[in-house]
Amino acid sequence: MRVVCAPDKLRGSLDATQAAAALAAGIRAAGGTPVEHPLADGGEGSRLTVQAALGGTVTTVDSVDALGRPLPVPVGHLDDGTALIEAAEAIGWDALAGTEPDVLRASSAGLAAPVLAAVARGARRIVVFLGGTATMDGGTGLLASLGAEVLDADGDRLRGSGADLARVHRIDLAPARQRLAGVELLVAADVTSPLFGPDGAARVFGPQKGARPDTVGLLDEGLRALSPLLTGAGPADGAGAAGGLGAALLALGADLVPGAGLIRQLTRFEERLAGADLCLTAEGKVDAGTSAGKTVRGVVDACTAAAVPCVVLGGTLSPGAELLYDHGATAVLPIGPGPRDLDTALRHGADDLTRTAYAVCRLAAVGAAARP
């Protein structure tokens, strides 16, 4: 039995590569042949996931984190001239571990150095994976560091931060666009939030980034005012990704696409799926949001199209997980043996995936043997 193991990360427990390896161990123990194919949604872990499938090289660029402190940032390079940059590796949460969140001070400026380094190296296409950032500056920090003139009402330059949003009066994007001339810019978003409004970046993600209710309102007003200054961006879905970073990249001429779909395409997932007997996919929490377009939903859709049975495994199953059955999932199962505290569940993520994959593979083999 050939089984494709195509999980996303289990946040706080396993990255996608580790999760795929754990599933594969269970498949091998059950006598099956596993095909490890970790996936991601455009957020944390996306660059590593793509390079695990396609190889390439990695260089390191001196940059700064979301609070302006020195930080080396990796840039992936594929053989076809594509550079891979993950926003979370530059301006994400991990670099701020142990630091109090400060969404007003945080800036996307640290993403500029890896982008410019990729251009200098001769990249023909740059893929920027959004998601997991600690910023809510509408991408103004990135724009300013790329050379755009982000100006206040007095004509003074702003560095770009959450606090600066209310002061932005005019933006000249021409210098930044010139530095990126001739390079295809592709942006992979893990959310479809608009830039502002009830479902916008500030109101949906601001509290997760430490913004108080009054601060959320100020940020939303700032992003609303910023929108007409970012020619080509507007309030479109995805513009609010990564604290509005999506809007800034759209204004620079980028194409914004769903991250999960792009990663399946880049890693040629459908090719690996062809001829498989079964596919296992997994994520930490399976809920109503999963069927709205996350990695797991994309796997289910691909399996349905290929007529490959697909079993979804979750660290936890919440209301709405059953919606995946409407899209063709064969089964949606928890990986844990029963109720237990979160810390214990996170520590045993790999063992639980292996045990459950073994059980599913054995059951599938029995079913296959029973068919005439």
Side-chain angles (χ1 to χ4, degrees):
M1 176 174 289
R2 180 171 174 268
V3 183
V4 176
C5 304
D8 199 343
K9 61 185 175 294
L10 277 70
R11 191 184 301 275
S13 179
L14 303 168
D15 62 32
T17 300
Q18 293 168 330
L23 290 171
I27 300 304
R28 277 191 293 269
T33 301
V35 178
E36 297 178 39
H37 197 106
L39 291 170
D41 61 5
E44 303 100 308
S46 292
R47 181 191 62 79
L48 284 172
T49 296
V50 172
Q51 292 208 263
L54 302 182
T57 59
V58 180
T59 58
T60 301
V61 178
D62 290 333
S63 187
V64 294
D65 67 16
L67 297 181
R69 302 173 302 186
L71 178 73
V73 177
V75 179
H77 306 276
L78 303 181
D79 293 340
D80 65 356
T82 297
L84 306 174
I85 298 172
E86 184 176 312
E89 292 184 313
I91 52 174
W93 289 105
D94 286 351
L96 304 183
T99 303
E100 188 72 21
D102 191 343
V103 73
L104 291 177
R105 178 184 165 200
S107 170
S108 59
L111 191 59
V115 169
L116 293 175
V119 173
R121 189 182 168 96
R124 294 189 294 273
R125 177 171 69 161
I126 298 175
V127 178
V128 180
F129 298 110
L130 300 183
T133 73
T135 59
M136 190 64 65
D137 69 344
T140 54
L142 168 66
L143 294 175
S145 293
L146 287 176
E149 294 184 354
V150 182
L151 308 174
D152 65 13
D154 296 324
D156 295 327
R157 287 179 178 267
L158 299 171
R159 73 176 185 90
S161 66
D164 280 346
L165 279 177
R167 301 173 56 200
V168 178
H169 182 72
R170 185 170 70 87
I171 299 178
D172 181 2
L173 295 168
R177 287 174 172 165
Q178 182 59 39
R179 298 183 81 174
L180 300 178
V183 178
E184 178 189 359
L185 196 57
L186 193 59
V187 177
D190 62 343
V191 298
T192 58
S193 299
L195 183 59
F196 57 84
D199 300 319
R203 297 202 180 277
V204 175
F205 300 107
Q208 299 175 17
K209 301 184 181 190
R212 299 186 304 271
D214 57 335
T215 302
V216 167
L218 291 173
L219 291 169
D220 186 61
E221 291 174 10
L223 292 171
R224 184 184 296 271
L226 182 68
S227 181
L229 304 179
L230 297 178
T231 305
D237 283 351
L245 191 54
L249 289 163
L250 282 168
L252 292 174
D255 291 322
L256 194 151
V257 299
L262 176 63
I263 291 172
R264 291 198 310 274
Q265 176 187 346
L266 289 173
T267 60
R268 298 187 287 274
F269 174 66
E270 279 75 6
E271 295 179 21
R272 305 293 292 278
L273 194 60
D277 300 295
L278 176 66
C279 179
L280 300 183
T281 185
E283 66 176 359
K285 182 179 182 181
V286 181
D287 56 18
T290 301
S291 63
K294 289 186 179 180
T295 300
V296 165
R297 163 67 189 279
V299 173
V300 170
D301 288 346
C303 288
T304 300
V308 174
C310 182
V311 175
V312 177
L313 306 177
T316 60
L317 303 186
S318 296
E322 70 281 357
L323 294 174
L324 289 169
Y325 287 113
D326 296 335
H327 300 285
T330 305
V332 182
L333 306 171
I335 64 171
R340 54 187 172 175
D341 64 89
L342 178 60
D343 287 343
T344 300
L346 294 177
R347 286 199 309 272
H348 292 280
D351 292 339
D352 288 343
L353 280 177
T354 298
R355 176 186 53 78
T356 306
Y358 173 86
V360 170
C361 189
R362 287 294 299 268
L363 185 62
V366 169
R371 288 194 295 268

